[in-house]
Amino acid sequence: MNTFEKQLKLIMDKMNDIEYGFVDNNENFYPDSEENWDNSFQMKYFLQPPETLIKTKYGVCWDQVELERYYLQLNNIKCNSYFIINYDGKIFPTHTFIITSNEKNYYWLEHSWESHRGIHKYNNLNEALLCIKDKFNEMIKNKYNIDNNETIIYEYKKPNYNINAQDFFTHCETGIKIELVKYELENASINDVKRIKQYKLNTIFEYAKDLEENEIRKIHNYVNATIPNQIYEYKNIVLNDNIVGSVLLIEKEDYLLLDEIYIEEKYRNKGIGTSILKDIVSNTTNNIYLWVYKANIKAIKLYNKLGFRIKDETDNRYYMEYLK
C-alpha cells in the first residue's frame, strides 16, 4: 500500500461511524429498515452538510459522498462525484459515489453500498465507471427486476446543502453525461486489408524517422506482401458498431506474440488499449511477447505498468515479455 492509498484508507476508516438512513429537519431518524421509508424520504429528506452528518451519523449515499468529499479536501486530495441512475419509468434507482486518482491509478471510494464497501483500484476512469455500472445493473436486476439499457452516469459538481430530494436529482442531471467506452473484438476479413495496411504504415512512420527512400519502399513492399496473408489473424476493435482499430495476436507453440495493436487517433486516451491488454493478460496462461518502438514512451509506460519487462532491444525498439 503506497502513501496515497494509506491516506485513502484513513479517510474511509472515518466513514465507519456513519450508518445508512436519513434525518429530517426535525432531527427525526429514519434507519433504512423502517416501513414506509421511501415515502418519508421523498417528503422529508434534505441533503446534510458534512458537519451535520458527522453529528447525526445517519446518511444515504448522497450525504455520505459529501462527507467523503469533505475529508478528501481536508487532505488536499482532488476528487469527482458521480450520480448513476436507471430511467426505468417507475422506481428510478440511483447511487452516488466518489472517484479520486493519483498519477498512476483511479480509486472508487465506497461506504454506503455495503456489499461493495471499501477502496477499489483501477487503471483508468473508464474502467472504473464500467465496473461500477455493471455492479449497479446487477444490483437493480436482482433487487427490482430491472433489466434494460437505461442506466446513465453523470459527473456532478458539489451541490448546495440542505436541498430536498427533487432538487438534488435536478442538480445531478444537469451535470456531465458520461459516455463509456466498451470495446468488442471481431474477426477481420479481406475487406479490411486496405485499412489495416494503413494502420501498419501509420505506426511505422510515426516512430521510424529519417528513413531513406529505399527503406520507405521496402517497408511499403513488406506491408503489401504480409497483410493479405495475415488478415484472418487480425481482430477489428469495434466500438458502438464502428471499427476504431485492430489487434494482431499470434499464437506460437508455447507463447503469444502481440504483434500489433493500433487505435485510431480520435479514440485514444479512452482506456480501450489498456482494457484490451488487460484482457489479453488475464485470459491466457502463456507468456506474452511484443516489440515496441523506443520513441513510443506512452506505450512503454503502459506495458511496464501491466507487468511487461524489457528482454532485449535493437537500435530503435524494445523486445518486451510478460511472464506468467
Side-chain angles (χ1 to χ4, degrees), residues 209-237:
K209 304 295 185 181
D210 302 322
L211 296 173
E212 295 182 0
E213 186 176 341
N214 67 320
E215 292 176 303
I216 295 173
R217 186 169 55 253
K218 287 180 181 179
I219 289 170
H220 276 277
N221 290 339
Y222 168 75
V223 170
N224 287 330
T226 57
I227 299 299
N229 293 329
Q230 289 184 303
I231 191 62
Y232 296 110
E233 296 182 78
Y234 277 89
K235 299 284 186 183
N236 289 328
I237 303 169

Side-chain angles (χ1 to χ4, degrees), residues 63-293:
D63 306 290
Q64 295 193 33
V65 159
E66 294 312 310
L67 182 54
E68 290 168 355
R69 191 199 307 273
Y70 172 78
Y71 286 140
L72 288 164
Q73 290 178 344
L74 285 179
N75 286 270
N76 296 314
I77 298 175
K78 294 181 180 180
C79 64
N80 291 317
S81 50
Y82 298 89
F83 177 78
I84 185 168
I85 180 171
N86 185 274
Y87 292 101
D88 70 313
K90 184 179 179 181
I91 301 173
F92 299 101
T94 74
H95 183 58
T96 56
F97 55 94
I98 284 279
I99 291 181
T100 185
S101 65
N102 57 11
E103 294 181 353
K104 294 184 177 180
N105 296 103
Y106 286 76
Y107 298 85
W108 166 30
L109 308 185
E110 184 56 60
H111 183 266
S112 63
W113 192 354
E114 189 172 354
S115 60
H116 297 294
R117 183 173 292 173
I119 302 170
H120 308 270
K121 184 176 178 180
Y122 302 91
N123 288 301
N124 57 69
L125 180 60
N126 187 76
E127 179 187 345
L129 294 176
L130 276 174
C131 175
I132 296 166
K133 183 177 180 180
D134 286 345
K135 293 180 185 302
F136 180 82
N137 284 337
E138 181 182 8
M139 181 272 291
I140 63 173
K141 182 177 181 180
N142 293 334
K143 187 173 182 178
Y144 304 113
N145 198 30
I146 296 173
D147 188 11
N148 58 36
N149 295 318
E150 303 301 323
T151 295
I152 304 295
I153 299 178
Y154 299 91
E155 180 184 334
Y156 68 94
K157 294 182 179 180
K158 180 181 176 181
N160 293 325
Y161 298 138
N162 299 304
I163 59 177
N164 61 29
Q166 184 56 57
D167 287 343
F168 183 77
F169 257 72
T170 301
H171 173 79
C172 293
E173 290 175 319
T174 56
I176 301 171
K177 184 178 178 181
I178 303 296
E179 298 294 336
L180 295 176
V181 176
K182 195 167 187 177
Y183 78 92
E184 295 179 354
L185 295 182
E186 296 180 355
N187 293 330
S189 72
I190 198 69
N191 297 323
D192 299 303
V193 168
K194 182 178 179 180
R195 177 176 47 79
I196 292 177
K197 280 183 181 179
Q198 193 58 54
Y199 287 169
K200 183 97 169 180
L201 292 171
N202 289 349
T203 300
I204 294 172
F205 294 135
E206 183 175 357
Y207 297 107
K209 304 295 185 181
D210 302 322
L211 296 173
E212 295 182 0
E213 186 176 341
N214 67 320
E215 292 176 303
I216 295 173
R217 186 169 55 253
K218 287 180 181 179
I219 289 170
H220 276 277
N221 290 339
Y222 168 75
V223 170
N224 287 330
T226 57
I227 299 299
N229 293 329
Q230 289 184 303
I231 191 62
Y232 296 110
E233 296 182 78
Y234 277 89
K235 299 284 186 183
N236 289 328
I237 303 169
V238 181
L239 180 67
N240 299 328
D241 297 323
N242 296 314
I243 297 174
V244 302
S246 65
V247 59
L248 177 59
L249 189 66
I250 301 174
E251 293 190 25
K252 299 294 186 178
E253 186 173 338
D254 56 355
Y255 68 94
L256 294 178
L257 176 65
L258 181 57
D259 197 272
E260 295 174 37
I261 180 168
Y262 184 90
I263 297 169
E264 294 180 10
E265 188 170 358
K266 67 178 180 179
Y267 294 100
R268 296 173 188 172
N269 302 314
K270 297 181 180 293
I272 301 173
T274 301
S275 296
I276 290 172
L277 289 166
K278 285 192 68 177
D279 288 343
I280 290 172
V281 167
S282 300
N283 295 327
T284 183
T285 58
N286 293 327
N287 296 335
I288 306 169
Y289 297 89
L290 60 84
W291 287 96
V292 60
Y293 283 98

